[in-house]
Amino acid sequence: MTQLVRIRRFEQRCIDLEGKIPGFVPVRLGEDAIAVGVAQALRSADRVVTRSRHHAYALARGLAMNELMAELFGRVAGFCRGRGGTGHLYSADRYFYSDQTFATGGLPMAAGLALADTLQNRQRVTVCFFNATAGAVGNGFDSLNMARSLSLPLLGVCEQRLGRRRNEPPDATVKKTQVQTRLAEQLRAWAAVEVDSLDVLAVEAAAVFAYDAIRRGHGPQLLIYDSPAEGSKRARSDWPDQGAIERLSQWLRGNDQLTDAAGSAIEATLDWEFKSAVQFASASAIETLDAFVWRRSRVPPWR
């Protein structure tokens, strides 16, 4: 419960901080249950590859809020010394990779990491979060096919987003239909398991089942879910409704595992944590150009 509320409040507060945080702050409000549910199935040595809008996945993975906020502020105390900003994030300690901006861009990296672990006999699973959009056909699904042919330890978590895009030309309808058909064929061939993006318990159960199947040598697995409607989420800090938080709260209260006092304590603790993270980020320095040039000169040419 704490992780769901923590992620939701973090992203809502980041929206409120636009203007102080450099650039645009992309968030994934409403997908907290996917990040938290899948993270519960992973071990500390497993790898996580995400696309942009990585905040929910980073927090669910266990990355510190202080360093994450510093990265958003573009400060040297961030995980990437402020160079990744809101779009890219990397943490060697947590095996977290978020360098892919669009659709299935992370799948080639995830397949390569899983292949490397297989060749080195490392007992790891790589999970990759990606989008199934009209532009997702290409090396992403080719990577999935390679992972299946080599039986790689890869867990794909696919967001289905096949709706109409803004400013889309009228002649794109036929092409999109063809793309949707190919995507549907890919998902059927994988025997993908569909999960409810607002039910964290169902997501966790499906992720644990898929994870165990990978560990038993059954090859890569695929989970799919429908993304919550976009709507005017940036116009209201409470968008969307509580969703996964409210559903889990009702379940916990029905099983006498959550009280009003406990809920208030969670909110108070998270409010303090967020304020501390903002103070930590604000107090951190911005990397100077001279320091950046010096650090670049120290990198060996083969890296």
Side-chain angles (χ1 to χ4, degrees), residues 168-247:
E168 187 174 60
D171 59 352
T173 304
V174 175
K175 181 179 179 181
K176 175 171 285 189
T177 301
Q178 296 173 347
V179 171
Q180 289 175 334
T181 301
R182 182 174 176 184
L183 290 174
E185 291 175 352
Q186 288 277 358
L187 297 179
R188 281 198 299 269
W190 270 77
V193 176
E194 188 168 358
V195 296
D196 185 351
S197 62
L198 298 180
D199 190 341
V200 65
L201 298 178
V203 174
E204 180 181 355
V208 169
F209 183 84
Y211 188 96
D212 290 342
I214 295 172
R215 286 291 186 186
R216 293 195 301 269
H218 294 174
Q221 305 293 313
L222 183 62
L223 305 179
I224 60 174
Y225 67 98
D226 290 322
S227 175
E230 290 291 329
S232 57
K233 64 183 181 182
R234 305 192 71 80
R236 296 174 50 195
S237 62
D238 62 342
W239 187 99
D241 58 42
Q242 294 301 304
I245 297 175
E246 181 62 26
R247 189 176 299 188

Side-chain angles (χ1 to χ4, degrees), residues 1 4-5 8-9 30 32-33 197-201 240-254 258 260 267:
M1 183 66 183
L4 284 179
V5 180
R8 179 67 61 86
R9 298 294 177 260
D32 332 280
S197 62
L198 298 180
D199 190 341
V200 65
L201 298 178
D241 58 42
Q242 294 301 304
I245 297 175
E246 181 62 26
R247 189 176 299 188
L248 180 60
S249 175
Q250 292 177 358
W251 185 89
L252 292 173
R253 291 177 186 275
L258 181 67
D260 291 340
E267 292 283 4

Side-chain angles (χ1 to χ4, degrees), residues 110-131:
L113 292 172
L115 177 60
D117 289 334
T118 299
L119 295 176
Q120 296 294 326
N121 293 319
R122 291 190 289 254
Q123 299 301 310
R124 286 176 175 167
V125 172
T126 298
V127 58
C128 180
F129 297 90
F130 65 97
N131 293 347

Side-chain angles (χ1 to χ4, degrees), residues 34-35 38 48-51 57 103 127-131 155 157 225:
I34 296 296
V38 173
V48 176
V49 179
T50 77
R51 54 200 184 283
Y57 309 113
V127 58
C128 180
F129 297 90
F130 65 97
N131 293 347
L155 172 59
V157 184
Y225 67 98

Side-chain angles (χ1 to χ4, degrees), residues 148-163:
R148 185 168 55 179
S149 65
L150 297 177
S151 192
L152 299 180
L154 174 65
L155 172 59
V157 184
C158 173
E159 172 195 357
Q160 298 186 95
R161 185 180 294 178
L162 300 176

